[in-house]
Amino acid sequence: MLALELHQFATVPEGVRGVEVPEPHQPGKGEILARLAYASINPAELLLVEGRYASRPELPVRLGIEGSAVVEAVGEDVESVRPGDLVMSLLRTNWTERLLLQQGQFVKLPEGFDARMAAMLKVNPATAQLMLSEFVNLQPGEWVLQNAANSAVGVLVIQLAKQRGLRTINLVRRSSLETELKALGADVVLTDSENLPEQVREIVGSGALRLALDAVAGPAVEQLAAGLDTGGTVLNYGLLSGQPCHISPNQLVFR
């Protein structure tokens, strides 16, 4: 069967090869065999291929952080799924035609669930949820500031924040995105500008803005920090600019 492996750190797709690998054996006790339906391409994977991720695995290595698959066969003692069920794989090696999964390495999805959406379910929703819940004890009515608001994580942040009674200020590069994001629940949509911190403070007024989410890095970190309350938190989770995070000592020491 065909699998995609990283053979050298290089620009996409030069470092990735399609290789023939042995078919997995029939599922044993506590295992299932599933055929890949869809696999997403996560930004973290692109960084890994280019050698810019935080860790460098030994090569060659199979890729694929996310994937959805249809169960073909189940082994002994597997009662949670049956052939034909859709599952989300929890492995990080999903870019292959078939997957042999042990119990605990997959999640059964409801009947009729979109297999394409299932292939994007593991990383981005969890990222958005954890950023809103694990770093700052936000209360209903508080504000959250984020850049790259039209990204996959950004639109999830908007929707999850709205469910929790939080208000969002969302930074984008194109004003044409405002209608789309407000339909999802965005409170404010701004385009990046030099006077962004002043705009943000005017919007927040006497309200609380203690969390900013950064997917860009580079100078964008300083821009977000300048709009926060004293003692606020900038949480970086991306590297869209390709640059390290830039922030002045003034922001860190005096605020």
Side-chain angles (χ1 to χ4, degrees):
M1 68 176 182
L2 185 66
L4 294 181
E5 292 182 348
L6 176 62
H7 282 253
Q8 67 178 38
F9 297 113
T11 55
V12 179
E14 282 76 12
V16 179
R17 298 179 190 171
V19 296
E20 285 292 333
V21 297
E23 290 275 354
H25 60 73
Q26 285 299 302
K29 186 175 182 178
E31 295 178 329
I32 69 169
L33 180 64
R35 175 177 287 276
L36 185 72
Y38 291 94
S40 62
I41 300 176
N42 193 281
E45 248 142 8
L46 300 181
L47 291 174
L48 176 63
V49 169
E50 294 171 357
R52 297 193 293 135
Y53 199 61
S55 60
R56 284 191 170 202
E58 290 188 16
L59 303 182
V61 64
R62 198 169 298 175
L63 301 170
I65 296 175
E66 297 181 284
S68 63
V70 177
V71 177
E72 291 190 329
V74 301
E76 183 183 351
D77 290 346
V78 176
E79 299 179 354
S80 58
V81 295
R82 60 186 180 183
D85 285 345
L86 180 69
V87 297
M88 175 181 68
S89 169
L90 300 180
L91 297 183
R92 297 178 66 88
T93 54
N94 290 302
W95 290 1
T96 184
E97 290 184 278
R98 282 189 173 86
L99 302 164
L100 187 66
L101 303 169
Q102 299 176 359
Q103 295 201 75
Q105 294 180 333
F106 63 88
V107 175
K108 179 185 176 182
L109 297 170
E111 185 176 352
F113 199 93
D114 188 329
R116 293 170 297 180
M117 296 301 295
M120 299 181 285
L121 193 59
K122 184 172 77 171
V123 175
N124 291 334
T127 298
Q129 175 65 23
L130 289 171
M131 290 194 300
L132 289 174
S133 62
E134 297 299 311
F135 297 90
V136 178
N137 184 22
L138 299 170
Q139 301 301 313
E142 290 196 50
W143 291 89
V144 176
L145 173 64
Q146 68 164 340
N147 55 26
N150 60 313
S151 67
V153 173
V155 297
L156 287 163
V157 166
I158 290 170
Q159 294 170 85
L160 291 171
K162 180 63 69 174
Q163 290 178 8
R164 294 181 51 184
L166 303 171
R167 295 180 285 182
T168 56
I169 301 174
N170 302 278
L171 310 182
V172 294
R173 291 187 292 178
R174 304 191 310 276
S175 59
S176 59
L177 292 166
E178 181 175 3
T179 300
E180 174 187 337
L181 295 183
K182 284 195 170 181
L184 293 173
D187 294 282
V188 177
V189 179
L190 300 175
T191 53
D192 287 334
S193 64
E194 290 185 1
N195 66 335
L196 179 67
E198 291 78 11
Q199 286 182 278
V200 169
R201 293 315 312 174
E202 183 176 350
I203 292 165
V204 173
S206 60
L209 175 54
R210 298 187 294 141
L211 178 65
L213 308 177
D214 171 53
V216 179
V221 180
E222 171 85 13
Q223 189 181 47
L224 294 179
L228 284 174
D229 293 353
T230 298
T233 298
V234 178
L235 182 58
N236 169 265
Y237 69 96
L239 194 67
L240 292 177
S241 69
Q243 302 177 51
C245 294
H246 297 171
I247 188 166
S248 71
N250 285 344
Q251 297 293 343
L252 297 174
V253 175
F254 298 108
R255 301 189 67 245

